[in-house]
């Protein structure tokens, strides 16, 4: 399975974005699951690989787009950890948390 996140620009920092970045980095080169993020400002050529994305870009406020195996599954919002769990059947809740973590949402 391949999940791709197409975004307009690098988003502002937040805990949610940090978690999403960590999830995508962890599965960047996975065997059964591959995840990739592309940003229109720096990688516009990637967006042209998908005719359905090119059509969507003619409308306003469609980015970010989430694609699963090339099909658009989420429009205008970043996927949450819960969204990714629903799509993949995997849990992403405790990624990157250390055993002695004091300030993680995983506790």
């Amino acid at each position: 399975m391949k999940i791709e996140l197409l975004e307009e620009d690098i988003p502002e920092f937040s805990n949610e974005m940090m978690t999403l970045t960590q999830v995508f980095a962890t599965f960047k080169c996975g065997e059964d699951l591959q995840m990739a993020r592309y940003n229109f400002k720096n990688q516009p050529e990637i967006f042209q690989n998908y005719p359905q994305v090119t059509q969507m870009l003619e409308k306003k406020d469609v980015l970010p787009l989430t694609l699963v195996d090339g099909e658009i599954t989420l429009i205008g919002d970043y996927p949450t950890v819960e969204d990714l769990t629903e799509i993949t059947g995997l849990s992403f809740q405790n990624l990157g948390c250390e055993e002695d973590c004091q300030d993680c949402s995983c506790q």
Side-chain angles (χ1 to χ4, degrees):
M1 175 181 292
K2 185 171 186 176
I3 299 176
E4 296 169 284
L5 178 60
L6 307 178
E7 54 195 346
E8 189 166 352
D9 202 352
I10 298 171
E12 291 184 24
F13 175 81
S14 69
N15 286 337
E16 292 81 14
M17 281 300 112
M18 190 169 87
T19 300
L20 188 63
T21 298
Q22 190 169 30
V23 168
F24 271 76
T26 300
F27 290 93
K28 185 175 184 177
C29 298
E31 193 171 306
D32 295 326
L33 174 62
Q34 299 169 2
M35 294 182 157
R37 285 176 80 170
Y38 304 107
N39 139 343
F40 189 73
K41 185 176 181 182
N42 296 325
Q43 301 160 302
E45 68 281 356
I46 298 295
F47 290 64
Q48 296 170 0
N49 292 336
Y50 299 100
Q52 71 275 34
V53 170
T54 304
Q55 288 178 336
M56 291 294 295
L57 290 175
E58 293 174 6
K59 302 174 184 177
K60 292 186 178 186
D61 299 325
V62 296
L63 295 177
L65 293 172
T66 302
L67 283 71
V68 177
D69 294 330
E71 297 295 322
I72 297 171
T73 58
L74 187 61
I75 300 169
D77 284 317
Y78 283 93
T80 64
V81 170
E82 291 79 14
D83 292 332
L84 294 173
T85 296
E86 186 176 319
I87 291 167
T88 64
L90 301 172
S91 174
F92 301 98
Q93 293 295 329
N94 297 327
L95 284 181
C97 289
E98 301 293 328
E99 189 173 315
D100 60 349
C101 180
Q102 299 296 315
D103 193 30
C104 286
S105 61
C106 60
Q107 294 186 352

